[in-house]
Amino acid sequence: MRTARSLSMVRNTLLNYAGQAYAIVIGILIQPFYLGHLGAEAYGLIGFFAVLQSWLLLLDMGLSPALVRQVAHGRGVSGEEQAHARLLRSFELILLPLTVLSSLAVWGGSNWVAGQWLNVQQLSPELVAQCISLMGLLVALRLYATLYRSALQGQELHGFINAVNVVITTLRYFGGLLLVAQVSQDPLVFFQFQVAVSLIEALLLGGKAYLWMDVRLLTRFCWDTVRPVLPFALGMSFTSCLWIVLTQLDKVLLSNLLPLQQYGYFSLVALISGGVLTLVNPLAQSLLPRMTVLVAEQRHEDMQQLYLKANRFVCVLLFPMVAVIAAHGHDLVLAWSGDAVAASWCRPILAWYVLGSGLLAVASFQFYLQYAHGLLRMHVWYTVISTLVTVPLVIASAYLYGVLGVALCWFGLRLVSFLIWPAIVHHAFAPGLHGPWLRDTLQIAALSAAGLLLSEPFYALLARSGERLWLLVALAVCGLITLFLVGAGSAPALLRLFKPSHKPSV
């Protein structure tokens, strides 16, 4: 029944948000301690690893998102279940030489990166090179973990996925904090520990995928199973490559232009603005398989309504947070890290980055619409054109105006894209959808701005002492007032999000 499916969609979304919220909260709480125990340069290495990981995850070549869609689509069309095990094994074998070669390449280039690319001032280049060598192995393990997670996501096993995420997050952050606080502040030991945690993650997810999909050790590569999926996977891979260029080029350039200590501060900006984007991931993990199933069942109207409801939910959750961070970024970093130098450095940068990330998070829904239909041609052209525009602008901004120029360029490009692209996608895939989508999005943005203005006197009163505790209280009160106003103004739409339909599934 459609009622059961609607309720499971809500359940899966709540499970994903619970798991993601745990990871985000723990990460936010622990990161300042990493900065304090390891120092700004070693923390800059963690930020560099995040950038390197983003680029090396391109070796996935679109296999993971293709696996999610294929498994989900097979659940909507009978007779395809037996091919899933062969597809997973085939993708495993495709990844094997890629991960081995990439790990060797990172190891081989580690001395050059440590000595020539990064502006290391306090840590020894030899130590930095050893840490970079481990990063290649870390990425290889996470590639396989992502593949196994995608197989389980297509089966909508969100409960297990989030249970594993909670366990791994606890080991990764609390274990890492215990390590640097009580055992060793050596960044090499820290990265060795992260390799061990990533191995556990891959084994847990892989074991469950093998059991659920009945993958056997002697299962062979099957070209007939892979061939129909390749066009979609290659399209995803190409657009992912361009997407990484669009979202990570600034971080790569700044890792060379900034001293490693300042790059550690910039990593705080990237962590906060990236945290805004991660708030969409839990919903996407349950939304993409469900939208794909609805398209496979030819229930396009239901899919479009689900799309609108999900957009409302994300905007209500996201916009108040973006508004508060953009307005009070300096106080947030100061209250969070206790580092006045870091807070002052981040002040002019964070607002533009977080506003751009908010626009990017909402704009990601246009990709979901194309993904559900399995038609990525428009997305390919969009990413190609965006890349041709973005690359020269970001490079010029970085070398002419530094990190502030990059931040302004980041926001400006996201704003222009937001104003143009959604209307084109909606017209092509769902005529008549753009009006309701735009009305919902602008209404929630206006309510967020109004809530921020309404809360400002309370914020000024609570934060005037400048003490970290009162800054946190002021930020919390400001956020709650803004969220309450947005929630009250959007209550009818939110209630419809959790109201299942009673029409039977076909």
Side-chain angles (χ1 to χ4, degrees):
M1 295 291 292
R2 186 177 165 191
T3 300
R5 288 192 171 189
S6 299
L7 292 175
S8 71
M9 169 70 186
V10 174
R11 183 189 68 244
N12 291 338
T13 300
L14 294 177
L15 282 172
N16 289 334
Y17 267 104
Q20 194 74 49
Y22 179 78
I24 292 172
V25 171
I26 296 302
I28 288 174
L29 291 176
I30 297 300
Q31 293 293 339
F33 293 101
Y34 283 168
L35 179 63
H37 286 292
L38 293 173
E41 277 208 336
Y43 188 77
L45 277 180
I46 298 176
F48 178 74
F49 166 67
V51 176
L52 182 65
Q53 177 179 242
S54 297
W55 285 88
L56 289 183
L57 285 178
L58 292 174
L59 296 171
D60 181 83
M61 298 193 307
L63 301 180
S64 293
L67 185 61
V68 175
R69 188 181 186 280
Q70 197 69 13
V71 173
H73 190 275
R75 294 172 56 238
V77 179
S78 61
E80 294 190 6
E81 296 84 355
Q82 296 180 354
H84 295 162
R86 295 193 297 271
L87 187 62
L88 177 58
R89 171 50 54 83
S90 299
F91 283 179
E92 284 180 313
L93 295 175
I94 291 173
L95 278 182
L96 182 59
L98 297 175
T99 53
V100 171
L101 291 174
S102 66
S103 297
L104 291 174
V106 172
W107 172 76
S110 59
N111 288 321
W112 179 83
V113 174
Q116 302 297 323
W117 183 263
L118 297 177
N119 294 320
V120 181
Q121 296 174 341
Q122 298 175 7
L123 298 175
S124 70
E126 294 78 13
L127 175 62
V128 172
Q130 291 176 322
C131 293
I132 293 171
S133 297
L134 289 176
M135 294 178 188
L137 181 56
L138 263 172
V139 172
L141 291 171
R142 293 189 181 182
L143 275 167
Y144 273 99
T146 300
L147 184 68
Y148 298 136
R149 183 181 288 108
S150 298
L152 299 175
Q153 184 182 333
Q155 295 284 356
E156 298 194 59
L157 298 178
H158 299 282
F160 179 82
I161 293 173
N162 285 285
V164 171
N165 288 346
V166 168
V167 171
I168 296 302
T169 298
T170 303
L171 286 174
R172 184 167 287 151
Y173 287 108
F174 280 114
L177 177 60
L178 182 64
L179 179 75
V180 300
Q182 301 295 330
V183 180
S184 173
Q185 285 77 47
D186 188 340
L188 180 62
V189 176
F190 175 81
F191 280 104
Q192 289 171 341
F193 175 78
Q194 296 300 322
V195 169
V197 174
S198 294
L199 177 60
I200 295 172
E201 180 184 24
L203 291 174
L204 287 173
L205 294 171
K208 182 66 172 182
Y210 270 42
L211 289 173
W212 190 264
M213 301 175 68
D214 195 25
V215 180
R216 302 181 182 181
L217 293 178
L218 297 180
T219 302
R220 299 179 180 179
F221 182 89
C222 181
W223 173 248
D224 290 337
T225 304
V226 172
R227 182 171 51 195
V229 185
L230 275 183
F232 183 84
L234 292 177
M236 287 292 301
S237 176
F238 180 67
T239 56
S240 296
C241 179
L242 296 181
W243 189 250
I244 292 298
V245 173
L246 290 173
T247 58
Q248 300 296 323
L249 177 63
D250 56 331
K251 300 172 182 62
V252 173
L253 293 174
L254 292 174
S255 70
N256 177 248
L257 293 174
L258 295 175
L260 190 56
Q261 181 179 15
Q262 291 187 24
Y263 192 73
Y265 298 148
F266 175 75
S267 297
L268 295 176
V269 174
L271 177 66
I272 296 171
S273 59
V276 170
L277 291 175
T278 61
L279 289 176
V280 184
N281 293 340
L283 178 63
Q285 290 170 9
S286 55
L287 181 65
L288 288 176
R290 186 54 51 88
M291 288 177 62
T292 303
V293 169
L294 291 174
V295 170
E297 295 177 343
Q298 301 297 314
R299 292 166 51 191
H300 297 284
E301 182 179 349
D302 293 339
M303 186 274 294
Q304 293 174 20
Q305 289 302 311
L306 176 62
Y307 174 89
L308 286 175
K309 292 176 182 179
N311 178 74
R312 294 175 195 132
F313 177 75
V314 165
C315 290
V316 168
L317 180 69
L318 207 63
F319 284 3
M321 180 181 299
V322 168
V324 172
I325 296 174
H328 305 295
H330 172 271
D331 291 349
L332 172 64
V333 175
L334 180 60
W336 173 42
S337 67
D339 191 328
V341 176
S344 297
W345 192 93
C346 294
R347 182 200 295 268
I349 313 299
L350 181 57
W352 299 114
Y353 260 99
V354 76
L355 287 170
S357 295
L359 292 174
L360 185 61
V362 176
S364 64
F365 276 79
Q366 283 74 66
F367 167 72
Y368 303 157
L369 195 60
Q370 298 170 72
Y371 178 100
H373 286 85
L375 301 173
L376 298 179
R377 182 179 179 182
M378 287 182 61
H379 185 65
V380 170
W381 279 109
Y382 165 73
T383 49
V384 168
I385 295 172
S386 297
T387 302
L388 293 175
V389 173
T390 298
V391 169
L393 288 178
V394 169
I395 292 175
S397 299
Y399 284 97
L400 293 177
Y401 303 106
V403 64
L404 180 59
V406 172
L408 289 168
C409 182
W410 164 264
F411 170 73
L413 290 169
R414 302 288 80 77
L415 179 61
V416 171
S417 176
F418 179 82
L419 294 174
I420 297 174
W421 185 241
I424 298 174
V425 175
H426 290 153
H427 177 74
F429 286 88
L433 187 66
H434 186 68
W437 176 87
L438 185 61
R439 182 173 60 251
D440 289 341
T441 303
L442 294 180
Q443 176 186 352
I444 296 170
L447 288 171
S448 299
L452 188 66
L453 291 174
L454 182 65
S455 66
E456 195 59 30
F458 300 96
Y459 184 88
L461 179 64
L462 293 169
R464 62 183 178 182
S465 69
E467 296 181 2
R468 292 178 66 185
L469 177 60
W470 283 108
L471 287 176
L472 288 173
V473 172
L475 289 165
V477 170
C478 180
L480 289 173
I481 291 174
T482 306
L483 181 61
F484 176 80
L485 183 61
V486 171
S490 308
L494 290 177
L495 290 175
R496 288 195 298 272
L497 173 65
F498 296 99
K499 181 181 178 181
S501 172
H502 300 282
K503 189 170 71 176
S505 175
V506 292

